[in-house]
Amino acid sequence: MSSFPSFPIRSEDPKVEVAWFCDLCNGDYEFLGVPDGKLRSSFEHCSEIIRTADSLGYQNILLPSSYQTGQDTLTFAAAASQLTQNISLLTAIRCGEIHPPMLARTLSTLDHMLKGRLNINIISSDLPGTVKDSKTRYQISKEVIQILQQSWTRDKIQFKGNHYEFDLPADPVKPYQTNGGPLLYFGGISEDARELCAEFCDVFLMWPETEEKLYATMTDLSVRAKRYERKIDFGLRIHLIVRDTEKDAKDAAKRLLSKLDLEKANDIKHRALDSKSAGVLRQDELRKSADSDLFIEPLIWSGVGLARSGCGSAIVGTPEQVYEKIQRYIGMGIRAFIFSGYPLIEESKIFAEKVLPKLDTVSFSKVQGRIPLQTPVTPLTTGERK
């Protein structure tokens, strides 16, 4: 376990929520940067990823959002809700993309379809074809979150901000979940992003960095949350390459890059709307200090970031090494993990066989009282229809 000193977090119990990643944005590969027709982001392939993760015992699965070839997030989530039994859908929403009351209604519908197995990943990047300054984008996100939270906890939406003003009944948007509605997961390292998460969100998601940099970020966010009389949880989004020997794991990493054309890779990377975000630029800068094999610290390999925006590094090692690294993260205070590996289905099976059974896992939305034990009284269940 890590020797870093502790700081206040919401989930003191060291049980962790383990999630997988679903490729909705045309990014599943056998060889990084080389499109594979069998792995395209079709409904068939993406639904197989999510069904596999559900059957393997992952508690959550991230459904990303981006203006790229693939599946629309909310549309896919609605269909996937009927294909899963236990897994929660961590569904990305880009704030400002949908009129907030209708977004609240969409999420209410989805939450009822899933019987509460819905988590929300808040995104504040620019909408396709638009450019706004950071403060404006995060102000819009702040207002959208406040409107959603009113719709989940009050009888009326009564909101007046710089971008939205509403006085509406909340019956059409009541969620299935209780005690505040769906949990909000959020990632971003700019000043505006940190303040937004500290004030409103439940889980701060980080991309891979050295342990020291991760710990510094977590300490800062914990202090900020305390100013709002809140505690938050911390999560890590990271790739995996797990093999029986360290040599096999490193060889698999090299194989993943073996057909990479750096010019094409750079084009693929910058198709994503977040490719120039502070978080991505920070990972790019960190990779410059990596060793000749692209490791930024023991077991953390940064090669994925050559052709991928967002999460750019992987834990590479044996099942024992990967487990021990995860335990170090848990010791630091990280309680949620969103893993992935290439190809997504094959790597999800390897991790589920060799590492996942050793972890003490939990669903945040269940232990934090968001999913009710009995059917809640809402206008879409047994509540009065006004």
Side-chain angles (χ1 to χ4, degrees), residues 157-204:
I157 301 172
Q158 293 177 309
F159 183 83
K160 185 174 182 179
N162 294 325
H163 302 278
Y164 301 107
E165 183 175 349
F166 301 113
D167 188 348
L168 294 167
D171 271 9
V173 296
K174 285 298 178 190
Y176 186 92
Q177 293 182 66
T178 55
N179 297 325
L183 292 170
L184 302 181
Y185 295 60
F186 175 86
I189 63 168
S190 70
E191 182 71 17
D192 295 318
R194 291 173 188 238
E195 282 300 309
L196 180 76
C197 184
E199 185 175 3
F200 294 106
C201 299
D202 301 291
V203 183
F204 181 72

Side-chain angles (χ1 to χ4, degrees), residues 5 31 61 69-71 89 99 103 135 149-150 221 235 268 307-308 313 328 340:
F31 297 96
I61 189 160
T69 301
Q71 304 294 298
L89 305 188
H99 184 61
L103 173 62
K135 287 194 176 298
Q149 290 180 335
Q150 281 193 16
L221 264 293
I268 292 170
R308 191 188 190 285
S313 293
R328 285 188 61 80
S340 58

Side-chain angles (χ1 to χ4, degrees), residues 4-56:
F4 287 104
S6 61
F7 44 76
I9 57 175
R10 183 179 296 180
S11 299
E12 296 181 0
D13 190 326
K15 293 179 180 178
V16 294
E17 182 179 78
V18 179
W20 198 248
F21 176 81
C22 189
D23 168 41
L24 302 188
C25 303
N26 218 30
D28 195 7
Y29 299 102
E30 180 179 357
F31 297 96
L32 195 63
V34 180
D36 187 329
K38 300 187 300 295
L39 301 177
R40 71 181 71 236
S41 296
S42 63
F43 178 76
E44 289 75 17
H45 180 55
C46 294
S47 61
E48 185 179 358
I49 294 170
I50 198 171
R51 288 196 301 266
T52 301
D54 190 25
S55 69
L56 291 173

Side-chain angles (χ1 to χ4, degrees), residues 245-262:
T245 71
E246 186 173 350
K247 180 181 184 302
D248 287 346
K250 290 183 175 180
D251 285 347
K254 292 177 182 176
R255 181 179 184 275
L256 186 61
L257 295 185
S258 63
K259 298 184 180 182
L260 185 64
D261 180 314
L262 287 177

Side-chain angles (χ1 to χ4, degrees), residues 139-252:
Q139 181 62 44
I140 291 171
S141 296
K142 179 177 179 177
E143 293 189 13
V144 169
I145 291 172
Q146 289 175 298
I147 292 163
L148 290 176
Q149 290 180 335
Q150 281 193 16
S151 75
W152 295 338
T153 60
R154 301 184 186 180
D155 293 331
K156 296 194 73 176
I157 301 172
Q158 293 177 309
F159 183 83
K160 185 174 182 179
N162 294 325
H163 302 278
Y164 301 107
E165 183 175 349
F166 301 113
D167 188 348
L168 294 167
D171 271 9
V173 296
K174 285 298 178 190
Y176 186 92
Q177 293 182 66
T178 55
N179 297 325
L183 292 170
L184 302 181
Y185 295 60
F186 175 86
I189 63 168
S190 70
E191 182 71 17
D192 295 318
R194 291 173 188 238
E195 282 300 309
L196 180 76
C197 184
E199 185 175 3
F200 294 106
C201 299
D202 301 291
V203 183
F204 181 72
L205 293 174
M206 299 174 290
W207 285 334
E209 296 189 279
T210 62
E211 288 185 6
E212 289 76 12
K213 288 182 179 294
L214 290 173
Y215 179 76
T217 298
M218 294 164 69
T219 302
D220 177 61
L221 264 293
S222 181
V223 170
R224 290 173 190 257
K226 187 176 180 180
R227 293 183 195 140
Y228 296 102
E229 299 183 344
R230 304 182 70 239
K231 293 181 181 180
I232 59 175
D233 279 316
F234 293 94
L236 180 64
R237 166 84 182 96
I238 193 166
H239 302 286
L240 297 166
I241 299 178
V242 185
R243 297 295 184 268
D244 289 335
T245 71
E246 186 173 350
K247 180 181 184 302
D248 287 346
K250 290 183 175 180
D251 285 347

